Amino acid sequence: MGTFIQLVVDGLAMGSIYAALALAIVIVNQSTGMINFAQGGMAVLSAYLSYAFLRLGVPLILAILIAIVLSFALGAVIERLLMRRFEGGDPDTAVVVTVGLLTLITGVCGWIWSYNNLQFPSLFPGDSFSVLGAAVSWRSLGTFLTIAAIMVLLQLLFQKTKVGLALRAVADNPRSSSFSGLPVGRLLMIGWGLAAALGAVAGALVAPRLSLTPGMLDGALVYALAAVILGGATSPIGVVVAAWLIGVLENLAAVYVPFIGHDLKIAVPFILLFVVLLIRPQGLFGRKTVVRV
């Protein structure tokens, strides 16, 4: 029983990392209607910015807050100067641009800070406590609670605030939103800025667990995209629940399913994705899109 609980706890902790990136992807999707493959690279860049301020003697929390503000500005600039040229056109072109942006950002990070593993301090203590025979680290618990709080705040943002509703309206129909008087360009910049700021939080949470390298989120990005599709790209709660589910199930499968083991556990989220999409194509918590002709 203790082993089972430990696997669940570790899965929730790892799933929280996937959820942090997935939430940032959802913000861009909710505000622009597209999937941002560069989100992992933007989160890594934010973590390096925090690291740079730490090297200058800035306290950890203040360094992360500065990186969040700079990341918001960077996200808005990327949308204004780069992505706006492709929004409203062929969606495949915009996706290719985000993939190229991911490659560019990780390359720049490696060029400036090298590809060596760097140690990034954690916001939470590194020691653990026992729950029903399982060792739970304060770092894992802090990450879990932080992601849960962000999930609730984003759900409230998109469902209960004028800004959130306006972002959703722009994503659904930019031209109609413009005719209604909404500042479409400004809202798109806000959406990308919020996603980049959330990426800064994700980078600060992930870097202490994985060590800071330009490619530290490459694997997590794959799981995050799976969580977005599985949970539903329109639901912050859905993608977080899906990310937690993926983290727990892959851990359990690695131990309790003989033919999977640790080498093939990466197949677990994709098997789960295949099964769910056959039954519910819009994802577990997504909403159906109705097109009226």
Side-chain angles (χ1 to χ4, degrees), residues 112-143:
I112 296 175
W113 288 284
S114 82
Y115 288 88
N116 298 324
N117 293 341
L118 301 177
Q119 297 302 313
F120 191 94
S122 175
L123 285 167
F124 309 104
D127 52 340
S128 304
F129 60 95
S130 179
V131 176
L132 299 176
V136 181
S137 69
W138 289 105
R139 182 180 300 173
S140 297
L141 180 62
T143 302

Side-chain angles (χ1 to χ4, degrees), residues 123-195:
L123 285 167
F124 309 104
D127 52 340
S128 304
F129 60 95
S130 179
V131 176
L132 299 176
V136 181
S137 69
W138 289 105
R139 182 180 300 173
S140 297
L141 180 62
T143 302
F144 176 85
L145 294 178
T146 301
I147 296 304
I150 292 174
M151 170 191 72
V152 173
L153 290 175
L154 285 181
Q155 190 72 17
L156 293 175
L157 170 69
F158 287 122
Q159 299 291 337
K160 302 297 183 181
T161 68
K162 292 182 178 179
V163 173
L165 293 173
L167 288 171
R168 291 173 57 191
V170 168
D172 289 339
N173 196 326
R175 179 170 295 184
S176 176
S177 299
S178 179
F179 291 154
S180 300
L182 292 177
V184 174
R186 192 180 307 167
L187 287 168
L188 291 174
M189 291 175 64
I190 290 174
W192 273 80
L194 285 174

Side-chain angles (χ1 to χ4, degrees), residues 9-116:
V9 169
D10 292 342
L12 289 173
M14 187 56 65
S16 296
I17 294 176
Y18 309 151
L21 277 180
L23 284 173
I25 293 172
V26 164
I27 292 178
V28 173
N29 181 262
Q30 285 284 74
S31 56
T32 67
M34 64 176 288
I35 299 294
N36 178 21
F37 283 87
Q39 192 60 60
M42 294 169 68
V44 169
L45 177 59
S46 301
Y48 273 112
L49 290 175
S50 299
Y51 178 81
F53 285 108
L54 283 173
R55 294 291 299 273
L56 295 175
V58 178
L60 176 59
I61 295 180
L62 182 57
I64 293 174
L65 290 176
I66 294 174
I68 289 173
V69 174
L70 292 177
S71 297
F72 181 93
L74 177 62
V77 169
I78 287 175
E79 190 283 327
R80 180 65 183 86
L81 299 182
L82 178 63
M83 297 309 303
R84 189 168 299 187
R85 301 175 184 272
F86 304 96
E87 289 163 356
D90 187 353
D92 294 336
T93 302
V95 168
V96 172
V97 171
T98 63
V99 174
L101 185 61
L102 169 63
T103 305
L104 175 63
I105 291 175
T106 53
V108 169
C109 289
W111 176 58
I112 296 175
W113 288 284
S114 82
Y115 288 88
N116 298 324

